[in-house]
Each structure stands twice: as C-alpha cells, then as structure tokens.
Amino acid sequence: MPYNFYAFLQNDNFIQNVCNIFTCISFIGTFYLLTCQFVKNRKNLSVSVIDYASRQGSVFLMLLFQNNSSLSLTISSIHIIHGEKRYQCELIPKKVRGKNALLIMSPMFPLNLVPKEGRQCFLEFLFAEDIPLGYGKKVVLQIHSNRGLISKQITLGRKSHYLNNKV
C-alpha cells in the first residue's frame, strides 16, 4: 500500500494539478489584496455644509471635510461653481466674524488632511453675491487637491448660528 501511494504522488498529472490549484489560489489572493488596496487608497472625501451666510458681496461657508481614504489629502484651493462662473475661496487667513476670544478666521491653505481625519473650516468667497443661498439650494464645490480635482454637489440645510449671529 505505501508503495502505491508513493507512486500516486510521483504521478506528473497529480503534481501538475496541485501546482495549478496553488497558482489559482495565489492569483485570487493577489487580486483580492490589490482590490482592497485600491478601495482603501482611492480619493474619498466627504464634504458637508454646517452653516452658510451671505453678506457684503461675499459668501461664507462653514464646511466639514472628512478624508475617508487611507492616504493623506492636501487641498490647495476650493471654488464654488455657479452657472459659468467660478468663485475661489480666500487662501490666506481672514477674519470671518467676531473679535478677541470669539474671533473666527478662515484657514491657511493648503489644508492637509491625514487619513481618516475630519476638519471644520470657515471659508469666504469674495464677489459671490449672485450665488443664491437658502434651504434646499444646491452648491457645487470644486476642490483642487494633490489627488486630482474633486467635485461635490451639496444641498444646503437650514442655517445655523455659527455664521448668522451678531458677535
């Protein structure tokens, strides 16, 4: 009996079939790992508007950026698209509202988001008085990043107190 089993293992077809099975399992495993890596590393940025206001010809947005990717994301600029017009946000820190301890400033660009990080920012878009802001209106943002252009269409909710109270 041991001799027949040894002869069976020496069969070239058996060895070739075992090698083929291991090759297929290796290929499937490699494809699975590549697919998982691609899904984890794709640009996956979620953006939501927390508050918005329009005054003195400018549009102010309080945004929440969430980098859902496993790679860092650097935002170099943001535009609001309205019809054929593009309005770029201020790239250097500026006073949004308030004073002293209650001072709210826009951020310094570029914005660096590490993997899985979220960040709230107050942004100002100058000369954007013709952009209609209100409950249910849609705002299109074009976000320029190190990982390419990201476009987001966001439906505005109700106004909040962050940009709409006098301080």
Coordinates of all heavy atoms in Angstrom, one line a residue, residues 74-143:
T74 N -4.3 66.7 0.4 CA -3.9 68.1 0.6 C -4.8 68.9 -0.4 O -4.8 68.7 -1.6 CB -2.4 68.4 0.2 OG1 -1.6 67.6 1.1 CG2 -2.1 69.8 0.4
I75 N -5.6 69.8 0.2 CA -6.5 70.7 -0.6 C -5.8 72.0 -0.8 O -5.4 72.7 0.1 CB -7.8 70.9 0.2 CG1 -8.5 69.6 0.4 CG2 -8.7 71.9 -0.5 CD1 -9.7 69.7 1.3
S76 N -5.6 72.4 -2.1 CA -4.8 73.6 -2.4 C -5.8 74.8 -2.6 O -5.4 75.9 -2.4 CB -3.9 73.4 -3.6 OG -4.7 72.9 -4.7
S77 N -7.0 74.5 -3.1 CA -8.0 75.6 -3.3 C -9.4 75.0 -3.5 O -9.5 73.8 -3.8 CB -7.6 76.5 -4.5 OG -7.8 75.8 -5.7
I78 N -10.4 75.9 -3.3 CA -11.8 75.4 -3.4 C -12.5 76.5 -4.2 O -12.3 77.7 -4.0 CB -12.4 75.2 -2.1 CG1 -11.7 74.2 -1.3 CG2 -13.9 74.8 -2.2 CD1 -12.1 74.1 0.2
H79 N -13.3 76.1 -5.2 CA -14.1 77.0 -5.9 C -15.6 76.7 -5.8 O -16.0 75.5 -5.6 CB -13.8 76.9 -7.4 CG -12.5 77.5 -7.8 ND1 -11.3 76.7 -7.7 CD2 -12.1 78.7 -8.2 CE1 -10.3 77.4 -8.1 NE2 -10.7 78.6 -8.4
I80 N -16.4 77.7 -5.8 CA -17.9 77.5 -5.9 C -18.2 77.7 -7.4 O -17.8 78.7 -8.0 CB -18.7 78.5 -5.1 CG1 -18.6 78.2 -3.6 CG2 -20.2 78.4 -5.5 CD1 -19.4 79.1 -2.7
I81 N -18.9 76.8 -8.0 CA -19.3 76.9 -9.4 C -20.8 77.3 -9.4 O -21.6 76.7 -8.8 CB -19.1 75.6 -10.1 CG1 -17.7 75.0 -9.9 CG2 -19.5 75.7 -11.6 CD1 -16.6 75.9 -10.5
H82 N -21.1 78.4 -10.1 CA -22.5 78.9 -10.2 C -22.6 79.3 -11.7 O -22.1 80.3 -12.1 CB -22.8 80.1 -9.3 CG -24.1 80.6 -9.4 ND1 -25.2 79.8 -9.0 CD2 -24.6 81.7 -9.8 CE1 -26.3 80.5 -9.2 NE2 -26.0 81.7 -9.8
G83 N -23.4 78.5 -12.4 CA -23.5 78.7 -13.8 C -22.2 78.5 -14.5 O -21.5 77.5 -14.4
E84 N -21.8 79.6 -15.2 CA -20.5 79.6 -15.9 C -19.4 80.2 -15.0 O -18.2 80.3 -15.5 CB -20.6 80.3 -17.2 CG -21.6 79.6 -18.2 CD -21.1 78.3 -18.6 OE1 -19.9 78.1 -18.9 OE2 -22.0 77.4 -18.7
K85 N -19.7 80.7 -13.9 CA -18.8 81.5 -13.1 C -18.2 80.6 -12.0 O -18.8 79.7 -11.5 CB -19.4 82.7 -12.4 CG -19.9 83.7 -13.4 CD -20.5 84.9 -12.6 CE -21.0 86.0 -13.6 NZ -21.6 87.1 -12.9
R86 N -16.9 80.9 -11.7 CA -16.2 80.2 -10.6 C -15.7 81.2 -9.6 O -15.1 82.2 -10.0 CB -14.9 79.5 -11.2 CG -15.3 78.4 -12.2 CD -14.1 77.8 -12.9 NE -13.3 77.1 -11.9 CZ -12.0 76.9 -11.9 NH1 -11.3 77.4 -12.8 NH2 -11.4 76.2 -10.9
Y87 N -15.9 80.9 -8.3 CA -15.5 81.8 -7.3 C -14.6 81.1 -6.4 O -14.9 80.1 -5.8 CB -16.7 82.3 -6.5 CG -17.8 83.0 -7.3 CD1 -18.9 82.3 -7.8 CD2 -17.7 84.3 -7.6 CE1 -19.8 82.9 -8.6 CE2 -18.6 85.0 -8.3 CZ -19.7 84.3 -8.8 OH -20.7 84.9 -9.6
Q88 N -13.3 81.6 -6.3 CA -12.3 80.9 -5.5 C -12.4 81.4 -4.0 O -12.6 82.6 -3.8 CB -10.9 81.2 -6.0 CG -9.8 80.5 -5.2 CD -8.5 80.6 -5.8 OE1 -8.4 80.9 -7.0 NE2 -7.4 80.4 -5.1
C89 N -12.2 80.6 -3.1 CA -12.2 81.0 -1.7 C -10.9 81.7 -1.4 O -9.9 81.5 -2.1 CB -12.4 79.8 -0.7 SG -11.0 78.7 -0.6
E90 N -10.9 82.5 -0.3 CA -9.7 83.2 0.1 C -8.7 82.1 0.6 O -9.0 81.2 1.4 CB -10.0 84.1 1.3 CG -10.7 85.4 0.8 CD -9.7 86.3 0.0 OE1 -8.7 86.7 0.6 OE2 -10.0 86.4 -1.2
L91 N -7.4 82.2 0.2 CA -6.4 81.2 0.5 C -5.6 81.6 1.7 O -4.8 80.8 2.2 CB -5.5 81.0 -0.7 CG -6.3 80.5 -1.9 CD1 -5.3 80.3 -3.1 CD2 -7.0 79.2 -1.7
I92 N -5.7 82.8 2.2 CA -4.9 83.2 3.4 C -5.9 83.5 4.5 O -7.1 83.8 4.3 CB -4.0 84.5 3.1 CG1 -4.9 85.6 2.6 CG2 -3.0 84.2 2.1 CD1 -4.1 86.9 2.5
P93 N -5.5 83.4 5.7 CA -6.4 83.6 6.9 C -7.0 85.0 6.9 O -6.3 86.0 6.7 CB -5.6 83.3 8.1 CG -4.4 82.5 7.6 CD -4.2 82.9 6.2
K94 N -8.3 85.0 7.0 CA -9.0 86.3 7.1 C -10.1 86.2 8.2 O -10.6 85.1 8.5 CB -9.8 86.6 5.8 CG -9.0 87.5 4.9 CD -9.8 87.7 3.6 CE -10.6 89.0 3.7 NZ -11.3 89.3 2.5
K95 N -10.4 87.3 8.8 CA -11.4 87.4 9.8 C -12.8 87.1 9.1 O -13.1 87.7 8.1 CB -11.5 88.7 10.5 CG -12.6 88.9 11.4 CD -12.7 90.3 11.9 CE -14.0 90.6 12.7 NZ -14.2 91.9 13.1
V96 N -13.5 86.1 9.7 CA -14.9 85.8 9.2 C -15.9 86.6 10.1 O -16.8 87.2 9.5 CB -15.1 84.3 9.3 CG1 -16.6 84.0 8.9 CG2 -14.2 83.6 8.4
R97 N -15.7 86.5 11.4 CA -16.6 87.3 12.3 C -16.0 87.3 13.7 O -15.1 86.5 14.0 CB -18.0 86.8 12.3 CG -18.2 85.6 13.0 CD -19.7 85.2 13.1 NE -19.9 84.1 13.9 CZ -20.5 84.1 15.1 NH1 -21.0 85.2 15.6 NH2 -20.6 83.0 15.8
G98 N -16.5 88.1 14.5 CA -16.1 88.1 15.9 C -14.9 89.0 16.2 O -14.4 89.6 15.3
K99 N -14.5 89.0 17.5 CA -13.3 89.7 17.9 C -12.7 89.1 19.1 O -13.4 88.4 19.8 CB -13.5 91.2 18.0 CG -14.6 91.5 19.1 CD -14.8 93.0 19.1 CE -16.0 93.3 20.0 NZ -16.4 94.7 20.0
N100 N -11.5 89.3 19.4 CA -10.8 88.8 20.6 C -10.9 87.3 20.7 O -10.6 86.6 19.8 CB -11.2 89.6 21.8 CG -10.9 91.1 21.7 OD1 -10.0 91.5 21.0 ND2 -11.7 91.9 22.4
A101 N -11.4 86.9 21.8 CA -11.5 85.4 22.1 C -12.6 84.8 21.2 O -12.5 83.6 21.0 CB -11.9 85.2 23.6
L102 N -13.5 85.5 20.7 CA -14.5 84.9 19.8 C -14.2 85.1 18.3 O -15.1 84.9 17.5 CB -15.9 85.6 20.1 CG -16.4 85.4 21.5 CD1 -17.7 86.2 21.8 CD2 -16.6 83.9 21.8
L103 N -13.0 85.5 18.0 CA -12.6 85.7 16.6 C -12.6 84.4 15.8 O -12.1 83.4 16.3 CB -11.2 86.3 16.6 CG -10.7 86.6 15.2 CD1 -11.5 87.7 14.5 CD2 -9.2 87.0 15.3
I104 N -13.3 84.4 14.7 CA -13.3 83.2 13.8 C -12.6 83.6 12.5 O -12.9 84.7 11.9 CB -14.8 82.9 13.4 CG1 -15.5 82.4 14.7 CG2 -14.8 81.8 12.4 CD1 -17.0 82.1 14.4
M105 N -11.6 82.8 12.1 CA -10.7 83.1 11.0 C -10.9 82.0 10.0 O -11.2 80.8 10.3 CB -9.3 83.1 11.4 CG -8.9 84.2 12.4 SD -8.8 85.8 11.7 CE -7.3 85.6 10.7
S106 N -10.7 82.3 8.7 CA -10.6 81.3 7.6 C -9.2 80.6 7.7 O -8.3 81.2 8.3 CB -10.8 81.9 6.3 OG -9.9 82.9 6.0
P107 N -9.1 79.4 7.2 CA -7.8 78.7 7.4 C -6.7 79.1 6.4 O -7.0 79.8 5.4 CB -8.2 77.2 7.1 CG -9.3 77.4 6.1 CD -10.1 78.6 6.5
M108 N -5.5 78.8 6.6 CA -4.4 79.0 5.7 C -4.4 77.8 4.8 O -4.4 76.6 5.3 CB -3.1 79.1 6.5 CG -1.9 79.1 5.6 SD -1.8 80.6 4.6 CE -0.6 81.5 5.5
F109 N -4.3 78.0 3.5 CA -4.2 76.9 2.6 C -2.7 76.7 2.3 O -1.9 77.6 2.4 CB -4.9 77.3 1.3 CG -6.4 77.0 1.4 CD1 -7.2 77.9 2.0 CD2 -6.9 75.8 0.9 CE1 -8.6 77.7 2.1 CE2 -8.3 75.6 1.0 CZ -9.1 76.5 1.6
P110 N -2.3 75.5 2.0 CA -3.1 74.3 1.7 C -3.6 73.6 3.0 O -3.0 73.8 4.1 CB -2.2 73.3 1.0 CG -0.8 73.7 1.4 CD -0.9 75.2 1.7
L111 N -4.7 72.9 2.9 CA -5.3 72.2 4.1 C -4.8 70.7 3.9 O -5.0 70.1 2.9 CB -6.8 72.2 4.0 CG -7.5 73.5 4.2 CD1 -9.0 73.3 4.0 CD2 -7.2 74.1 5.6
N112 N -4.1 70.3 4.9 CA -3.6 68.9 4.9 C -4.5 68.0 5.8 O -4.7 68.3 7.0 CB -2.2 68.8 5.4 CG -1.3 69.6 4.5 OD1 -1.3 69.4 3.3 ND2 -0.5 70.5 5.1
L113 N -5.1 67.0 5.2 CA -5.9 66.0 5.9 C -5.2 64.7 5.9 O -5.0 64.1 4.9 CB -7.3 65.9 5.3 CG -8.2 67.2 5.2 CD1 -9.4 66.9 4.3 CD2 -8.6 67.6 6.6
V114 N -4.9 64.2 7.1 CA -4.3 62.9 7.2 C -5.4 61.8 7.0 O -6.5 62.2 7.1 CB -3.5 62.7 8.6 CG1 -2.4 63.7 8.7 CG2 -4.5 62.8 9.8
P115 N -5.0 60.6 6.9 CA -6.0 59.6 6.7 C -7.1 59.5 7.8 O -6.7 59.6 9.0 CB -5.2 58.3 6.6 CG -3.9 58.7 6.2 CD -3.7 60.0 6.7
K116 N -8.3 59.4 7.4 CA -9.5 59.3 8.3 C -9.7 60.6 9.2 O -10.4 60.5 10.1 CB -9.3 58.1 9.2 CG -9.1 56.8 8.5 CD -10.2 56.4 7.6 CE -9.9 55.1 6.9 NZ -10.8 54.8 5.8
E117 N -9.1 61.7 8.8 CA -9.2 63.0 9.6 C -10.4 63.8 9.0 O -10.7 63.8 7.9 CB -8.0 63.8 9.5 CG -8.1 65.1 10.2 CD -6.9 66.1 10.0 OE1 -6.1 65.8 9.1 OE2 -6.8 67.0 10.8
G118 N -11.1 64.5 10.0 CA -12.1 65.4 9.6 C -11.7 66.8 10.1 O -10.9 66.9 11.1
R119 N -12.1 67.8 9.4 CA -11.7 69.2 9.8 C -12.8 70.2 9.4 O -13.4 70.1 8.3 CB -10.4 69.6 9.1 CG -10.0 71.0 9.5 CD -8.7 71.5 9.0 NE -7.7 70.6 9.4 CZ -6.5 70.6 9.0 NH1 -6.1 71.5 8.0 NH2 -5.5 69.8 9.4
Q120 N -13.2 71.1 10.4 CA -14.1 72.1 10.1 C -13.4 73.4 9.7 O -12.4 73.7 10.3 CB -15.0 72.4 11.3 CG -15.9 71.3 11.7 CD -16.7 71.6 13.0 OE1 -16.5 72.6 13.6 NE2 -17.5 70.6 13.4
C121 N -13.9 74.1 8.7 CA -13.3 75.3 8.2 C -14.4 76.3 7.8 O -15.4 76.0 7.3 CB -12.5 75.0 6.9 SG -11.1 73.9 7.1
F122 N -14.0 77.6 8.1 CA -14.8 78.7 7.7 C -14.2 79.2 6.4 O -13.0 79.6 6.4 CB -14.9 79.8 8.7 CG -15.7 79.4 9.9 CD1 -15.0 78.8 11.0 CD2 -17.0 79.6 10.0 CE1 -15.8 78.5 12.2 CE2 -17.8 79.3 11.1 CZ -17.1 78.7 12.2
L123 N -14.9 79.3 5.3 CA -14.4 79.8 4.0 C -15.1 81.0 3.6 O -16.3 81.1 3.8 CB -14.4 78.7 3.0 CG -13.7 77.4 3.3 CD1 -13.9 76.4 2.1 CD2 -12.2 77.6 3.5
E124 N -14.4 81.9 2.9 CA -15.0 83.1 2.4 C -14.8 83.1 0.9 O -13.7 82.9 0.4 CB -14.4 84.4 3.0 CG -15.0 85.7 2.4 CD -14.4 86.9 3.0 OE1 -13.4 86.9 3.7 OE2 -15.0 88.0 2.7
F125 N -15.8 83.4 0.1 CA -15.8 83.5 -1.3 C -16.1 85.0 -1.7 O -17.3 85.4 -1.5 CB -16.7 82.5 -2.0 CG -16.4 81.1 -1.7 CD1 -16.9 80.5 -0.6 CD2 -15.6 80.4 -2.6 CE1 -16.5 79.1 -0.3 CE2 -15.2 79.1 -2.3 CZ -15.7 78.4 -1.2
L126 N -15.2 85.7 -2.2 CA -15.4 87.1 -2.5 C -16.2 87.3 -3.8 O -16.1 86.5 -4.7 CB -14.1 87.9 -2.6 CG -13.2 87.9 -1.3 CD1 -11.9 88.5 -1.6 CD2 -14.0 88.6 -0.2
F127 N -16.9 88.4 -3.9 CA -17.6 88.8 -5.1 C -18.6 87.8 -5.6 O -18.8 87.5 -6.8 CB -16.7 89.2 -6.2 CG -15.6 90.1 -5.8 CD1 -14.2 89.7 -5.7 CD2 -15.8 91.4 -5.4 CE1 -13.2 90.5 -5.3 CE2 -14.8 92.2 -4.9 CZ -13.5 91.8 -4.9
A128 N -19.2 87.1 -4.7 CA -20.1 86.0 -5.0 C -21.6 86.3 -4.6 O -22.3 85.4 -4.3 CB -19.6 84.7 -4.3
E129 N -21.9 87.6 -4.7 CA -23.2 88.0 -4.3 C -24.4 87.4 -5.1 O -25.5 87.4 -4.7 CB -23.3 89.5 -4.3 CG -23.1 90.2 -5.6 CD -21.7 90.5 -5.9 OE1 -20.8 90.4 -5.0 OE2 -21.4 90.9 -7.1
D130 N -24.1 86.9 -6.3 CA -25.2 86.4 -7.1 C -25.4 84.9 -6.9 O -26.3 84.3 -7.5 CB -24.9 86.6 -8.6 CG -23.6 86.0 -9.1 OD1 -22.7 85.8 -8.2 OD2 -23.4 85.8 -10.3
I131 N -24.7 84.3 -6.0 CA -25.0 82.9 -5.6 C -26.2 82.8 -4.7 O -26.1 83.3 -3.6 CB -23.8 82.2 -5.0 CG1 -22.6 82.2 -6.0 CG2 -24.1 80.8 -4.5 CD1 -21.3 81.6 -5.5
P132 N -27.3 82.1 -5.1 CA -28.4 82.0 -4.2 C -28.2 81.0 -3.1 O -27.9 79.9 -3.3 CB -29.5 81.6 -5.1 CG -28.9 80.9 -6.2 CD -27.5 81.5 -6.4
L133 N -28.3 81.4 -1.8 CA -28.1 80.6 -0.7 C -29.5 80.4 0.0 O -30.1 81.5 0.3 CB -27.1 81.1 0.3 CG -25.7 81.2 -0.2 CD1 -24.8 81.8 0.9 CD2 -25.1 79.9 -0.7
G134 N -29.9 79.3 0.3 CA -31.1 79.0 1.0 C -31.4 77.6 1.2 O -30.7 76.7 0.6
Y135 N -32.3 77.3 2.1 CA -32.7 75.9 2.3 C -33.1 75.2 1.1 O -33.9 75.6 0.3 CB -33.8 75.8 3.3 CG -34.3 74.4 3.7 CD1 -33.5 73.7 4.6 CD2 -35.4 73.9 3.1 CE1 -33.9 72.4 4.9 CE2 -35.8 72.6 3.5 CZ -35.0 71.9 4.3 OH -35.4 70.6 4.6
G136 N -32.4 74.0 0.8 CA -32.7 73.2 -0.4 C -32.0 73.6 -1.6 O -32.0 72.9 -2.6
K137 N -31.3 74.7 -1.6 CA -30.5 75.1 -2.8 C -29.2 74.2 -2.9 O -28.7 73.7 -1.9 CB -30.0 76.6 -2.7 CG -31.2 77.6 -2.6 CD -31.7 77.8 -4.0 CE -32.7 78.9 -4.0 NZ -33.3 79.2 -5.3
K138 N -28.8 74.0 -4.1 CA -27.6 73.2 -4.3 C -26.4 74.1 -4.6 O -26.4 75.1 -5.2 CB -27.8 72.3 -5.5 CG -28.9 71.3 -5.2 CD -28.9 70.2 -6.3 CE -30.0 69.2 -6.1 NZ -30.2 68.6 -4.8
V139 N -25.2 73.7 -4.0 CA -24.0 74.4 -4.2 C -23.0 73.4 -4.7 O -22.9 72.2 -4.2 CB -23.4 74.9 -2.8 CG1 -22.0 75.5 -3.0 CG2 -24.4 75.9 -2.2
V140 N -22.3 73.8 -5.8 CA -21.3 72.9 -6.4 C -19.9 73.4 -6.0 O -19.6 74.6 -6.3 CB -21.4 72.9 -8.0 CG1 -20.3 72.0 -8.6 CG2 -22.8 72.4 -8.3
L141 N -19.1 72.5 -5.4 CA -17.8 72.9 -5.0 C -16.8 72.1 -5.8 O -17.0 70.9 -6.1 CB -17.5 72.5 -3.5 CG -18.4 73.2 -2.5 CD1 -18.1 72.7 -1.1 CD2 -18.1 74.7 -2.5
Q142 N -15.7 72.8 -6.3 CA -14.6 72.1 -7.0 C -13.4 72.2 -6.1 O -13.0 73.3 -5.7 CB -14.3 72.8 -8.3 CG -14.8 72.1 -9.5 CD -14.3 72.8 -10.8 OE1 -13.5 73.7 -10.8 NE2 -14.7 72.2 -11.9
I143 N -12.9 71.1 -5.7 CA -11.8 71.0 -4.7 C -10.6 70.6 -5.4 O -10.6 69.5 -6.0 CB -12.2 70.1 -3.6 CG1 -13.5 70.6 -2.9 CG2 -11.0 70.0 -2.6 CD1 -14.1 69.6 -2.0

